[in-house]
Amino acid sequence: MKLSDFFKVSLVASAVTLAACGGDIEITPTVNDNSTNTDNSVNNSNNNSGGTGEDEILCASYETAAGTVEGTVSGNDCVYNDSFASKTISITSNITFEELPEGGVHLFADALQIGADGDTSNGFEVPANGPTMTVKPGATLAFQSGEAIIRIARGAKIQAIGTEEKPITFTSANAFDRFDSAGNGARYADWGGIIINGQGITDHCTDAERDGGTCNVASEGITSYYGGNNNADSSGSIKWAKIWYAGSGPRVGGEGDDLNSLTLNAVGSGSAFDYIHIHQGFDDGVEIFGGATTLKHIVVTDTQDDSFDFDAGWQGAAQYLFVKHGTVTLNDGTVVNMGNNGFESDGVKGSSSAQVAPSNPTIANVTVVTTDASSVRDDDPSQAFKFDDQFNARLFNTVIVKQNAVNTSCIEFSSDGEKEADKISFTSSVMACSSNFADSDTFVGGPLAAQSKATWFENGGASQILTDDVALLAENGFATNTASTDVTVTANDLSELGAFFDSVDYIGAVSDQDTDSSWYKWVEAALTAASAD
């Protein structure tokens, strides 16, 4: 099945044709003059009822010194062109995106930047109470180009909290027939993804810069800044959401960066990211630069590069992470391989100091299903873990699977990754791969030089290596086969790891005994969507 067939939404009968070249929509949003006593809820024609039903279509709006800036109703959709949001506009007041009736979407031609941004070394002060971007359950936001990103500035917040019944969707405009004028269907790199800039600790900055309030790390994409000295900072949260076909970067006026589906720049532990499905990203699924944010119930399918990329001194925690590499069928019938590393695990991006150590997260209940292929993005192999740059971590209840492989392995260490390999541990984990370790079965350097990597992984009997023909997963291909007699390690119940972690009695991300849970159903639905490509 072509990738557009599953995700596209048919044009409703009453939708107005959006006449534009190449899918760009030139509709100027309304600016209401707030200097009068006009009742905009009555006189604003953009917010009148529209579509085939009787539900009112409420486009997003925000306040400026000149008045209220609003999107434009077109059929059942709300359209926002570069007069509403762009790479030169920072929205500095609260903004809300409602669920639109009858499959309507919020359509963006350009970047959506929330909060004022600036370099604190040049006198800019991060707002103590910046604006909040609120996305309501069931809302869909669609983007038309690599220029179109969501950027949340330091001091601002995103509150995109869906529900199990009504998840939020961030996606490509080409997933909808009415916007896909070229007929290419939705695919990776169609839009720029979500970038959240926090005030947490990152090793990009020096201790002196953090102490002086001048930590300013330039983000990828449209230049903005992140970093600070508060790992408890909050940039808001995303829950029950889908992020599809993202990545790439700004392309107008210069080369674009390789952007991720979700980039968390120095985001603190006050934020949470839970029940998210990331699909077909151009670069990484989730990339974290420092900070201490948490992840829970995350599915990443068919990203071109790494599913998770941790870097720059991240000190957070994660539980229930599911990764699957596979293939995507493009609109012309070409089949391409997706996926490099399940986890690109980097300890140091800048330099460690008294205030920031190498990345050292605690991660539990992980499943990584790899292939024997190499990613279409850069021809790098599909692997479960790559450890680099003095990475530290404790991993519990992890399942790694690679079947029928002759070209690729499951775990790779760089020479820098070996430098602190003794500070990486797998507990209550099982690996069933055709080839376990890339390059060498023994450590070349570092504190474990000349030692067996298999001995390191098995961790004194706390973890286990099996052959690739063991039925480690259930017949559905994603849940752990809890009846397997080949698995002799016992799940760690995680009770000693702190309040963030749920107590469990199984290894891997999902249990085959848990079919009625929201998490099981979320993974199942995500894999069904991915397989339709």
Side-chain angles (χ1 to χ4, degrees), residues 75-398:
N76 291 313
D77 305 309
C78 287
V79 178
Y80 310 91
N81 78 339
D82 59 8
S83 296
F84 182 97
S86 76
K87 64 181 180 180
T88 61
I89 296 173
S90 290
I91 297 172
T92 56
S93 58
N94 294 337
I95 186 169
T96 298
F97 296 93
E98 302 280 353
E99 179 187 16
L100 298 179
E102 300 184 49
V105 306
H106 299 277
L107 180 70
F108 292 85
D110 212 321
L112 175 60
Q113 301 191 89
I114 307 299
D117 177 74
D119 185 338
T120 58
S121 67
N122 292 327
F124 177 79
E125 294 187 8
V126 176
N129 296 292
T132 295
M133 171 181 165
T134 300
V135 187
K136 294 296 186 67
T140 296
L141 279 65
F143 301 85
Q144 290 186 292
S145 75
E147 189 80 7
I149 64 171
I150 296 174
R151 188 271 288 153
I152 308 298
R154 290 182 292 187
K157 289 181 173 62
I158 181 172
Q159 295 291 0
I161 311 298
T163 66
E164 183 175 4
E165 295 75 21
K166 289 188 173 185
I168 291 163
T169 301
F170 303 96
T171 190
S172 163
N174 289 336
F176 304 89
D177 287 326
R178 58 191 182 275
F179 307 135
D180 185 14
S181 59
N184 291 327
R187 62 180 290 184
Y188 47 80
D190 271 355
W191 65 287
I194 301 173
I195 299 172
I196 302 178
N197 294 332
Q199 300 181 79
I201 296 172
T202 169
D203 69 13
H204 292 86
C205 297
T206 66
D207 291 351
E209 288 171 331
R210 279 185 286 272
D211 293 341
T214 59
C215 176
N216 295 281
V217 186
S219 70
E220 295 175 325
I222 300 169
T223 300
S224 57
Y225 297 96
Y226 65 91
N229 57 14
N230 180 13
N231 261 0
D233 181 45
S234 174
S235 299
S237 296
I238 300 176
K239 185 173 183 180
W240 293 111
K242 306 171 186 178
I243 306 172
W244 290 339
Y245 310 120
S248 185
R251 298 172 181 171
V252 177
E255 295 182 0
D257 293 311
D258 293 341
L259 298 183
N260 313 295
S261 296
L262 177 61
T263 304
L264 305 177
N265 291 323
V267 175
S269 60
S271 293
F273 301 89
D274 197 2
Y275 282 101
I276 298 174
H277 175 209
I278 293 173
H279 178 62
Q280 249 197 77
F282 175 71
D283 197 31
D284 301 330
V286 179
E287 183 157 19
I288 299 178
F289 291 106
T293 191
T294 59
L295 305 174
K296 211 165 193 176
H297 302 109
I298 312 293
V299 183
V300 182
T301 53
D302 297 338
T303 52
Q304 282 198 16
D305 198 13
D306 310 314
S307 298
F308 295 93
D309 191 337
F310 307 140
D311 208 341
W314 179 48
Q315 307 296 322
Q319 187 178 18
Y320 309 119
L321 308 181
F322 185 93
V323 173
K324 189 175 188 300
H325 295 166
T327 61
V328 165
T329 302
L330 304 181
N331 202 50
D332 62 2
T334 303
V335 178
V336 297
N337 296 308
M338 304 290 283
N340 180 202
N341 298 297
F343 292 79
E344 169 76 28
S345 308
D346 300 300
V348 178
K349 185 72 171 181
S351 59
S352 297
S353 71
Q355 293 182 3
V356 54
S359 300
N360 189 15
T362 301
I363 302 171
N365 292 100
V366 174
T367 297
V368 188
V369 181
T370 61
T371 70
D372 196 33
S374 295
S375 172
V376 64
R377 181 178 180 274
D378 48 22
D379 204 34
D380 282 342
S382 168
Q383 302 179 140
F385 288 87
K386 181 180 179 181
F387 296 113
D388 198 2
D389 297 331
Q390 304 171 57
F391 187 75
N392 300 178
R394 294 186 299 163
L395 297 111
F396 297 85
N397 301 337
T398 297

